């Protein structure tokens, strides 16, 4: 089984920054470097939406609402995923989740394609 643990959430004012981390452990039969890793978020009353993903080729993809404000990255040696969030807005307030999809999934931010999920870390942005 694979475990994902997020950290780094908190409360910031609009325009501020946060860096989220997701530590991955456990075994799936695949190495971490082969996973498609992603960040999702869900605000109260809203559906879960994809924020960004990074695949085993280093290909990054972002949701339209990110617009250059967020950067996804990972450290394969540490089995850790990151999300640098800058220029935060109140509408970014949500629970942020990291997720892992096993091969052969290589692209996409459809939640149903992801096999493992963390418990989430809360991000609150005040105006």
């Amino acid at each position: 089984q694979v475990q994902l643990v997020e950290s780094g959430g908190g409360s910031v004012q609009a325009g501020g920054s946060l860096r989220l981390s997701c530590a991955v452990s456990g075994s799936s039969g695949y190495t971490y470097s082969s996973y498609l890793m992603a960040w999702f978020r869900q605000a109260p009353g809203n559906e879960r939406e994809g924020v960004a993903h990074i695949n085993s080729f280093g290909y990054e993809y972002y949701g339209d609402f990110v617009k250059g404000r967020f950067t996804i990255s990972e450290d394969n040696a540490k089995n850790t995923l990151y999300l640098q969030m800058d220029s935060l807005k109140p509408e970014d307030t949500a629970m942020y989740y990291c997720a892992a999809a096993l091969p052969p999934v290589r692209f996409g931010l459809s939640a149903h394609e992801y096999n493992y999920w963390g418990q989430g870390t809360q991000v609150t942005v005040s105006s």
Side-chain angles (χ1 to χ4, degrees):
Q1 189 65 296
V2 176
Q3 295 82 39
L4 288 75
V5 179
E6 302 97 335
S7 61
S11 298
V12 296
Q13 291 191 326
S17 298
L18 283 173
R19 189 191 194 206
L20 306 184
S21 299
C22 173
V24 181
S25 61
S27 177
S28 66
Y30 295 92
T31 60
Y32 170 84
S33 61
S34 68
Y35 296 164
L36 174 64
M37 296 298 302
W39 290 97
F40 289 80
R41 70 184 188 183
Q42 188 168 18
N46 290 357
E47 293 186 354
R48 189 168 295 191
E49 62 179 347
V51 176
H53 79 56
I54 184 167
N55 69 13
S56 58
F57 302 108
Y59 175 77
E60 302 170 24
Y61 178 81
Y62 297 90
D64 290 341
F65 58 85
V66 170
K67 295 182 179 179
R69 300 182 298 124
F70 298 175
T71 302
I72 191 170
S73 63
E74 62 185 350
D75 185 336
N76 287 339
K78 296 181 178 180
N79 289 5
T80 302
L81 178 73
Y82 303 100
L83 184 68
Q84 177 67 41
M85 303 188 294
D86 299 317
S87 301
L88 282 162
K89 305 175 182 180
E91 51 264 44
D92 293 318
T93 295
M95 186 72 79
Y96 283 71
Y97 300 89
C98 69
L102 301 179
V105 180
R106 298 291 188 192
F107 304 96
L109 286 173
S110 297
H112 72 273
E113 292 194 306
Y114 286 78
N115 305 93
Y116 302 104
W117 293 82
Q119 294 300 306
T121 186
Q122 178 67 38
V123 172
T124 302
V125 185
S126 58
S127 58

